[in-house]
């Protein structure tokens, strides 16, 4: 019978194929036995079959984020872009894991894969209901490197290091995919390609990436997950890279696609295609912009929300104008369909993962995993014996603005429940704990009218007005988040005051929304009064034209926006001192736990960078007062980025860091504080002592500006890889073995614990500037008291390669390499040397055509787009800008300098030897070209001094662009 069924099915397939070839209509159902529905066939064959059945209009319809159903083939709609950064977001209550930076702080790829698998299961769990916003193409993880801790989206990334980022993103991605390249649980998309690490003017700023930074740093973070089939594509970033919008970055096909044999589904960020016209002004029409994006390797356009019409119209227009060919459409649609086939969409029952249902969402197993992840990601920064808290520490006070609340971030899921620090500790103790948020409760009295700012009662609150009330309706808890920003929570209903485009209403459970309209400033005046200023994020937008101060706007005293000269002057009457309240709560207690930190929607987030890394002043003052009242004070810093910490880290006996760690935050903190879990989290970023340790946020050249632990010359507050334990570890001798190195690690303490063994290398001599240290491998190891284990750390000779700009290739130089194993980038416990027989980089041969971007050093230049389609050139930002080409061999005599130049003004290129002001051996002139993209050849005769081996400097005029040159 089995053979008969197979022959019958084959006959049907052939019959349907013949009918289709004759142009007849086939009744479409999900069971129609088209070859694209046959899971026994190769993915490519199924995709080719389906592609051949689609009309051109149907193909084009698949290029937008919202892909419509195709009823005649029984195909359902499909949507790219379900957020899943640390749990499935925006679909309802799901398991909320720690923020990405918190997950990364575990340095635990096994755990990361387990979390990714749980998130993938929960995404699948919605597949029967398919709520609005659901899809199996997940936009996670974020692998942008955290080179600057002021980045507003720091919470979304993993690390400042590409090795660590690559390992963790690969693990998370494998969990999301299910680990089977041809049968995807979900289809993760890496965000955001490339070099996106600033929010200020993110759609118009360009990230300058010299080739070494691009290859060794930024690309290195994206490649591992793609190469391991742990991701199914990338999302292009908002910024420009070397003068070209990332939305049209040819790397998508020229570089990223070559990292894997699988077809990738690449998407744009939201509204980014439209940015090509405005504000980037890179293309005059969306037709030209969309065509360029598609040709660069974009497959799916995230634009105009759920309306595909502008995109499909633009693509059709591009075809009519000859900007695109049908083959360009087919390539993109093939990429899309390859992922959809692998997701099992066209398999019986939804394929391998089609049976997963809603029972997995926030399951007990996932709750347990969330608690484990939150505990493992906590980092013990300081401990003078105060932790772990002993059995005698039962009479406890938990105070601070984050003591009894959990905040979510923009990409967080909805908390199914919330275990706050106070609740977690109370649960651990089996008794209540004293609490205080430590914030002032104030009343604002208008000095002109004597009336008070008054809010409403009930969950809906009411518009703020000025009344004679003096009860709780006229009282507000004032939370200080630093940089002068406060939030006002009504004492009448526990809701935050926010702006709703017309009134100020106390109706929000926490600060939220795109513009975070719950932000205010209390500006003290010379006479001691205060002006209440609205500081929602929209007030910093270029289109905002309304006033920003508050005052009565009608006879009822309703508060609205008024100009500064009309603003009400208020006295700030302190009804209850937050510091005094917290001090009273901690006095006489066995221990005081102070929970301070950030509000994720305010202290930096998408579209808003931080201007500093300090704690809010009132939080620092709170810690100081509590510590004075109770020397047994433990500080928990709950935020999403490195913090300078000020006096806090000097004065208190113990400091524990955690990210905003999701629904199990409180239980996890209690586990760590009371020793049920030995802290094993490690920092994935350098914590600096001061903002002055950082160059400007838009400086992407980590090599020249000494960024990250790899190049930083100073002494950090806490180094990359740092984290304390309740036990101690001893390292043995570091020994070479097949495939890497091994070191014996012993737990020399009295508690079981996990050590994160980190392997770094340093190249002692090189033609090029090399990192001071560079992470090459790491491994967590669990050890009982007194136990020793041998840790194997994999590293190969090829892992020592760096990008040789003289020949545009990876190279391993001969020489001595330090190999170091330790507990952090500065706490090295064992070391050895590795004598490597590799290459010696030869002197530059400038007689060959040399790309200007392959310089060794520079001043006063920007990297720019050679053409709109491809290539990088060097643009002079000022007269006297220069490029250095070190160790160049000019031979017995070089006589001619030839350069490819562009620029709308006349200019020169001076050829100098030894330094930017060294001997002048020739000057090339240009009268200017029609545009910055029109290149001409400029030449110069060289003097007899141009010979031998020398550092060659090219000194450029302002506005001149240099693409390539040669000296012969």
């Amino acid at each position: 019978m089995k053979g008969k069924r197979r022959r019958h099915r084959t006959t049907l397939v052939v019959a349907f194929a013949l009918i289709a070839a004759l142009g007849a209509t086939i009744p479409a159902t999900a069971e129609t036995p088209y070859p694209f529905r046959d899971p026994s066939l190769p993915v490519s064959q199924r995709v080719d079959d389906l592609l051949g059945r689609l009309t051109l209009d149907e193909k084009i319809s698949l290029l937008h984020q919202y892909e419509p159903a195709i009823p005649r083939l029984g195909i359902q709609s499909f949507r790219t872009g379900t957020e899943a950064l640390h749990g499935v977001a925006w679909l309802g209550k799901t398991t909320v894991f720690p923020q990405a930076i918190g997950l990364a702080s575990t340095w635990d790829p096994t755990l990361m894969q387990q979390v990714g698998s749980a998130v993938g299961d929960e995404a699948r769990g919605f597949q029967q209901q398919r709520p609005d916003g659901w899809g199996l193409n997940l936009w996670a993880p974020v692998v942008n490197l955290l080179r600057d801790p002021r980045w507003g989206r720091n919470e979304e990334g993993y690390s400042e290091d590409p090795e660590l980022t690559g390992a963790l993103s690969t693990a998370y991605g494998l969990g999301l995919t299910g680990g089977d390249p041809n049968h995807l649980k979900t289809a993760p998309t890496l965000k955001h390609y490339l070099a996106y690490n600033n929010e200020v003017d993110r759609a118009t700023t360009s990230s300058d990436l010299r080739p070494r930074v691009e290859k060794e740093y930024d690309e290195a973070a994206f490649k591992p997950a793609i190469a391991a089939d742990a991701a199914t594509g990338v999302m292009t970033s908002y910024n420009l890279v070397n003068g070209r919008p990332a939305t049209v970055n040819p790397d998508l096909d020229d570089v990223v696609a070559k990292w894997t044999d699988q077809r990738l589904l690449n998407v744009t960020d939201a509204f980014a295609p439209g940015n090509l016209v405005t504000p980037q002004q890179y293309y005059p029409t969306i037709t030209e912009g969309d065509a360029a994006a598609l040709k660069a390797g974009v497959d799916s356009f995230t634009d105009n929300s759920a309306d595909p019409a502008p995109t499909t119209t633009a693509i059709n227009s591009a075809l009519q104008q000859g900007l695109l060919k049908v083959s360009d459409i087919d390539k993109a649609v093939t990429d899309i369909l390859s992922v959809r086939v692998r997701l099992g969409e066209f398999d019986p029952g939804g394929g391998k993962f089609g049976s997963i249902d809603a029972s997995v969402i926030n399951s007990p197993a996932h709750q347990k995993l969330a608690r484990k992840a939150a505990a493992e990601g906590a980092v013990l920064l300081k401990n003078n014996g105060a932790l772990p808290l002993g059995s005698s520490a039962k009479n406890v006070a938990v105070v601070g603005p984050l003591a009894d609340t959990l905040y979510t971030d923009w990409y967080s899921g909805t908390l199914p429940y919330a275990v706050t620090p106070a609740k977690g500790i109370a649960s651990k103790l089996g008794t209540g704990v004293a609490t205080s948020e430590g914030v002032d409760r104030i009343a604002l009295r208008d000095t002109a009218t004597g009336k008070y700012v008054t809010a409403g009662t009930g969950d809906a609150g009411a518009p703020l007005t000025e009344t004679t009330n003096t009860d709780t309706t006229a009282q507000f808890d004032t939370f200080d988040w630093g940089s002068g920003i406060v939030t006002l929570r009504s004492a009448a209903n526990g809701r935050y005051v926010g702006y709703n485009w017309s009134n100020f209403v106390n109706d929000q459970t926490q600060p939220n929304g795109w513009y975070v309209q719950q932000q205010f400033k209390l500006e003290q005046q010379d006479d001691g009064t205060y002006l209440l200023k609205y500081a929602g994020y929209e007030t910093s937008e270029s289109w905002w034209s309304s006033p920003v101060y508050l005052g009565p706007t009608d006879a009822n005293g309703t508060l609205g926006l008024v100009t500064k000269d009309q603003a009400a002057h208020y006295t700030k009457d302190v009804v209850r001192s937050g510091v005094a309240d917290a001090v009273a709560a901690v006095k006489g207690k066995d221990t005081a736990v102070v929970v301070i930190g950030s509000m994720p929607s305010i202290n930096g987030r998408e579209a808003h960078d931080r201007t500093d890394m300090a704690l809010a002043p009132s939080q620092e003052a709170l810690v100081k007062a509590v510590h004075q009242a109770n020397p047994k004070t433990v500080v928990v810093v709950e935020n999403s980025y490195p913090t300078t910490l000020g006096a806090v880290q000097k004065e208190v006996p113990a400091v524990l860091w955690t990210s905003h760690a999701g629904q199990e935050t409180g239980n996890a903190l209690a586990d760590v504080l009371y020793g049920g879990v030995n802290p094993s989290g490690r920092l994935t970023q350098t914590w600096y002592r001061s903002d002055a340790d950082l160059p400007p946020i838009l400086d992407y050249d980590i090599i020249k500006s000494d960024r990250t632990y790899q190049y930083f010359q100073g002494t950090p507050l806490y180094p990359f890889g740092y984290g304390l334990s309740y036990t101690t570890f001893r390292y043995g001798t570091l020994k070479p073995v097949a495939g890497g190195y091994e070191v014996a690690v012993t737990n020399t303490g009295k508690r079981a614990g996990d050590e994160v063994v980190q392997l770094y290398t340093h190249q002692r001599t090189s033609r090029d500037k090399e990192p001071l240290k560079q992470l090459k491998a790491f491994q967590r190891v669990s050890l009982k008291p007194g136990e020793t284990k041998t840790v194997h750390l994999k590293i190969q000779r090829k892992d020592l390669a760096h990008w040789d700009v003289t020949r545009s290739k990876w190279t391993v130089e001969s020489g001595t390499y330090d190999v170091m194993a330790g507990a952090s980038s500065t706490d090295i416990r064992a070391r050895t040397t590795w004598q490597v027989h590799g290459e010696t980089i030869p002197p530059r041969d400038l007689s060959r055509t040399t790309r200007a971007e392959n310089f060794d050093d520079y001043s006063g230049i920007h990297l720019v787009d050679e053409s709109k389609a491809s290539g990088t050139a060097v643009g002079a930002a000022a007269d006297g800008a220069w490029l250095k080409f070190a160790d160049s061999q000019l031979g017995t005599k070089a006589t001619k300098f030839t350069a490819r130049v562009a620029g709308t003004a006349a200019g020169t290129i001076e050829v100098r030897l030894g330094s930017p002001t060294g001997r002048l051996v020739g000057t090339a002139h240009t009268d200017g070209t029609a545009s910055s993209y029109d290149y001409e050849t400029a030449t110069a005769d060289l003097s007899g001094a141009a010979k031998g081996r020398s550092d060659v400097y090219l000194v450029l005029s302002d506005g001149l662009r240099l693409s390539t040159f040669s000296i012969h």
Side-chain angles (χ1 to χ4, degrees):
M1 289 294 293
K2 189 178 293 183
K4 289 183 180 180
R5 281 199 297 268
R6 185 178 294 114
R7 286 193 296 273
H8 176 64
R9 183 181 182 209
T10 302
T11 302
L12 281 174
V13 170
V14 173
F16 277 121
L18 289 171
I19 294 171
L22 294 171
T25 300
I26 302 173
T29 71
E31 303 305 320
T32 301
Y34 295 129
F36 75 81
R37 294 195 178 279
D38 185 350
S40 69
L41 297 176
V43 170
S44 59
Q45 188 173 335
R46 298 174 70 186
V47 170
D48 288 344
D49 174 72
L50 179 51
L51 183 71
R53 298 178 187 281
L54 298 174
T55 67
L56 180 58
D57 283 343
E58 288 169 342
K59 293 175 185 177
I60 292 172
S61 75
L62 301 181
L63 300 180
H64 188 263
Q65 178 186 21
Y66 287 81
E67 302 176 26
I70 303 176
R72 71 180 187 84
L73 294 175
I75 295 175
Q76 289 184 290
S77 61
F78 185 86
R79 178 186 182 273
T80 63
T82 294
E83 302 291 352
L85 191 58
H86 53 108
V88 181
W90 306 355
L91 299 181
K93 293 180 178 180
T94 57
T95 308
V96 178
F97 293 94
Q99 291 176 309
I101 185 68
L103 290 173
S105 298
T106 67
W107 287 61
D108 190 344
T110 300
L111 178 66
M112 291 289 288
Q113 186 165 346
Q114 291 170 351
V115 172
S117 182
V119 175
D121 283 347
E122 295 202 10
R124 277 280 181 176
F126 288 100
Q127 63 190 345
Q128 278 78 33
Q129 295 83 14
R130 293 171 64 98
D132 186 40
W134 172 84
L136 293 176
N137 173 237
L138 306 185
W139 287 353
V142 170
V143 298
N144 296 109
L145 293 165
L146 307 181
R147 64 171 187 108
D148 194 308
R150 295 167 297 192
W151 186 32
R153 303 182 76 168
N154 198 86
E155 67 202 31
E156 298 180 35
Y158 288 151
S159 170
E160 68 183 37
D161 181 75
E163 172 71 26
L164 180 58
T165 297
L168 297 179
S169 58
T170 297
Y172 191 70
L174 286 173
L176 292 174
T177 64
D180 182 342
N182 292 319
H183 299 88
L184 297 170
K185 183 189 295 183
T186 65
T189 301
L190 304 183
K191 296 175 14 174
H192 312 78
Y193 194 88
L194 185 69
Y196 170 39
N197 190 222
N198 65 274
E199 297 303 297
V200 57
D201 300 326
R202 62 181 180 172
T204 54
T205 55
S206 180
S207 304
D208 281 9
L209 295 186
R210 60 197 286 192
R212 280 195 64 197
V213 175
E214 182 166 6
K215 296 295 182 183
E216 297 174 23
Y217 194 62
D218 287 279
E219 284 183 11
F222 280 83
K223 182 177 180 179
I226 296 292
D229 292 326
T232 59
V234 300
M235 171 190 283
T236 58
S237 53
Y238 284 119
N239 56 289
L240 295 82
V241 177
N242 296 344
R244 181 180 298 106
T247 308
V248 291
N249 190 340
D251 277 6
L252 298 175
D253 279 344
D254 296 346
V255 176
V256 179
K258 295 177 182 177
W259 293 337
T260 177
D261 293 330
Q262 295 281 4
R263 300 202 69 119
L264 300 176
L265 193 176
N266 298 321
V267 306
T268 73
D269 210 336
F271 301 99
N275 288 347
L276 291 168
V277 179
T278 303
Q280 291 168 346
Q281 299 182 354
Y282 204 70
Y283 289 100
T285 67
I286 194 63
T287 294
E288 292 166 274
D290 281 5
L294 198 74
K295 290 178 75 70
V298 165
D299 302 306
S300 179
F301 292 81
T302 315
D303 209 7
N304 303 292
S305 299
D307 180 11
T311 296
T312 57
T313 299
I315 297 298
N316 274 304
S317 178
L319 284 168
Q320 294 165 8
Q321 296 177 37
L323 300 174
L324 289 174
K325 300 176 182 178
V326 172
S327 59
D328 296 319
I329 309 298
D330 285 350
K331 184 266 180 187
V333 174
T334 298
D335 292 341
I336 294 166
L337 294 180
S338 294
V339 169
R340 291 181 66 171
V341 167
R342 292 161 64 197
L343 283 167
E345 180 180 350
F346 310 123
D347 292 358
K352 181 176 180 179
F353 301 101
S355 62
I356 298 176
D357 61 25
S359 65
V360 301
I361 299 173
N362 192 39
S363 66
H366 291 179
Q367 294 173 8
K368 183 178 179 180
L369 184 62
R371 182 170 180 167
K372 176 180 171 64
E376 233 183 76
V379 181
L380 184 59
L381 298 177
K382 180 181 180 180
N383 188 23
N384 288 345
L387 292 175
L389 299 176
S391 57
S392 62
K394 293 182 178 180
N395 187 12
V396 176
V398 185
V399 302
L402 285 85
D404 204 20
T405 189
L406 294 185
Y407 289 122
T408 54
D409 59 58
W410 179 251
Y411 288 104
S412 173
T414 302
L415 293 170
Y417 57 85
V419 183
T420 68
K423 290 177 181 176
I425 292 173
S427 177
K428 175 71 68 176
L429 295 175
T431 185
V433 298
T435 63
S436 168
E437 291 176 308
V439 300
D440 288 345
R441 177 165 291 184
I442 66 170
L444 296 171
R445 183 177 60 86
D446 189 332
T447 58
T449 65
K451 295 181 178 181
Y452 289 90
V453 175
T454 305
T457 58
D459 289 347
L464 297 189
T465 58
E466 289 189 0
T467 73
T468 57
N469 291 6
T470 57
D471 58 12
T472 57
T473 61
Q475 298 172 8
F476 300 90
D477 296 323
T478 309
F479 293 80
D480 174 17
W481 299 112
S483 301
I485 297 295
V486 300
T487 52
L488 302 173
R489 188 183 64 196
S490 171
N493 66 351
R495 297 294 179 102
Y496 288 85
V497 176
Y499 184 54
N500 62 10
W501 302 102
S502 58
N503 294 117
F504 292 92
V505 182
N506 58 317
D507 62 351
Q508 299 297 304
T509 57
Q510 74 168 49
N512 65 91
W514 181 253
Y515 291 113
V516 195
Q517 295 176 307
Q518 298 80 33
Q519 299 183 83
F520 298 90
K521 290 185 177 183
L522 284 167
E523 293 186 350
Q524 189 168 16
Q525 305 302 295
D526 293 340
D527 62 0
T529 64
Y530 292 84
L531 302 185
L532 184 56
K533 184 178 182 180
Y534 173 57
Y537 281 147
E538 76 270 33
T539 61
S540 61
E541 297 285 344
S542 60
W543 48 262
W544 179 268
S545 59
S546 301
V548 293
Y549 289 89
L550 274 67
T553 56
D554 59 25
N556 296 323
T558 304
L559 292 187
L561 292 173
V562 298
T563 58
K564 186 174 184 178
D565 61 311
Q566 295 176 318
H569 284 246
Y570 295 106
T571 61
K572 185 176 72 172
D573 302 335
V574 178
V575 178
R576 183 187 65 208
S577 165
V579 167
D581 192 60
V583 165
V586 304
K587 279 187 175 179
K589 297 298 189 293
D590 297 333
T591 298
V593 178
V594 189
V595 189
I596 56 176
S598 69
M599 200 287 137
S601 289
I602 292 174
N603 293 110
R605 50 150 284 182
E606 184 169 358
H608 295 277
D609 295 312
R610 277 173 292 281
T611 56
D612 63 63
M613 296 178 291
L615 287 172
S618 66
Q619 293 188 20
E620 191 166 337
L622 174 67
V623 172
K624 184 175 183 179
V626 168
H627 182 231
Q628 287 177 343
N630 188 330
K632 297 179 180 179
T633 292
V634 173
V635 172
V636 175
V637 179
E638 185 178 338
N639 69 9
S640 319
Y641 50 88
T643 306
T644 50
L645 287 183
V648 169
Q649 60 89 26
K650 296 179 182 178
E651 297 177 1
V652 299
V655 180
L656 181 71
W657 175 85
T658 178
S659 69
H660 293 279
Q663 63 203 52
E664 287 286 341
T665 297
N667 283 332
L669 284 175
D671 290 341
V672 173
L673 292 173
Y674 278 86
V677 171
N678 193 339
S680 59
R682 301 292 184 264
L683 298 180
T684 66
Q685 291 177 267
T686 303
W687 282 44
Y688 298 95
R689 293 182 179 275
S690 167
D691 298 333
D693 288 333
L694 292 169
I697 195 170
L698 295 178
D699 184 346
Y700 276 76
D701 189 346
I702 68 163
I703 299 175
K704 188 174 178 68
S705 62
D706 294 332
R707 273 190 187 272
T708 81
Y709 82 94
Q710 291 190 19
Y711 295 96
F712 181 56
Q713 302 277 354
T715 302
L717 179 64
Y718 298 116
F720 172 81
Y722 174 86
L724 301 177
S725 171
Y726 294 152
T727 190
T728 54
F729 301 96
R730 183 179 67 240
Y731 284 58
T733 303
L734 186 62
K735 302 174 183 178
V737 294
Y741 286 81
E742 68 177 22
V743 62
V745 180
T746 303
N747 183 342
T748 53
K750 298 179 179 179
R751 290 176 176 269
D754 285 10
E755 173 70 322
V756 178
V757 182
Q758 303 161 42
L759 186 76
Y760 296 88
T761 63
H762 168 66
Q763 185 174 344
R764 290 189 179 179
T765 58
S766 173
R767 178 198 181 277
D768 301 306
K769 181 178 179 180
E770 292 295 327
L772 303 172
K773 289 188 184 76
Q774 195 168 12
L775 182 71
K776 294 298 182 180
F778 64 93
Q779 186 177 322
R780 287 179 65 99
V781 55
S782 298
L783 295 167
K784 298 174 183 177
E787 185 179 12
T788 298
K789 288 184 180 178
T790 298
V791 178
H792 297 270
L793 299 155
K794 295 180 180 179
I795 182 173
Q796 301 178 54
R797 179 178 171 277
K798 67 180 179 62
D799 297 326
L800 302 175
H802 77 274
W803 188 255
D804 174 18
V805 293
T806 71
R807 296 171 295 172
S808 295
K809 57 172 280 191
W810 291 101
T811 187
V812 176
E813 290 182 282
S814 294
T816 301
Y817 293 73
D818 295 310
V819 184
M820 300 159 279
S824 79
S825 58
T826 62
D827 185 6
I828 300 302
R829 308 287 185 87
R831 64 174 65 231
T832 187
T833 57
W834 186 358
Q835 298 299 323
V836 175
H837 299 288
E839 293 185 86
T840 297
I841 298 175
R844 281 185 182 268
D845 180 4
L846 297 183
S847 67
R848 298 181 302 181
T849 298
T850 298
R851 296 205 62 82
E853 65 177 311
N854 286 325
F855 50 73
D856 290 293
D857 199 3
Y858 62 93
S859 176
I861 62 98
H862 287 299
L863 292 169
V864 296
D865 49 337
E866 182 178 8
S867 73
K868 291 195 172 184
S870 63
T872 296
V874 172
D879 285 333
W882 55 263
L883 303 172
K884 176 184 179 182
F885 297 87
D887 191 25
S888 297
Q889 180 58 262
L890 301 179
T892 56
K893 183 179 182 183
T895 60
K896 181 74 69 174
F897 171 76
T898 304
R900 189 166 176 259
V901 299
T904 57
T908 61
I909 303 176
E910 297 177 347
V911 183
R912 294 182 177 271
L913 303 181
S915 78
T917 57
R919 177 175 293 189
L920 178 66
V921 295
T923 303
H925 297 266
T926 175
D927 293 328
T929 60
S931 79
S932 296
Y933 299 116
D934 290 309
Y935 286 82
E936 67 176 14
T937 300
T939 62
D941 293 326
L942 303 180
S943 72
K947 61 183 179 180
R949 198 164 168 175
S950 178
D951 293 342
V952 173
Y953 287 78
L954 303 183
V955 183
L956 284 63
S957 297
D958 185 18
L960 188 144
R961 288 186 170 204
L962 174 63
S963 171
T964 60
F965 72 95
S966 63
I967 296 177
H968 49 86

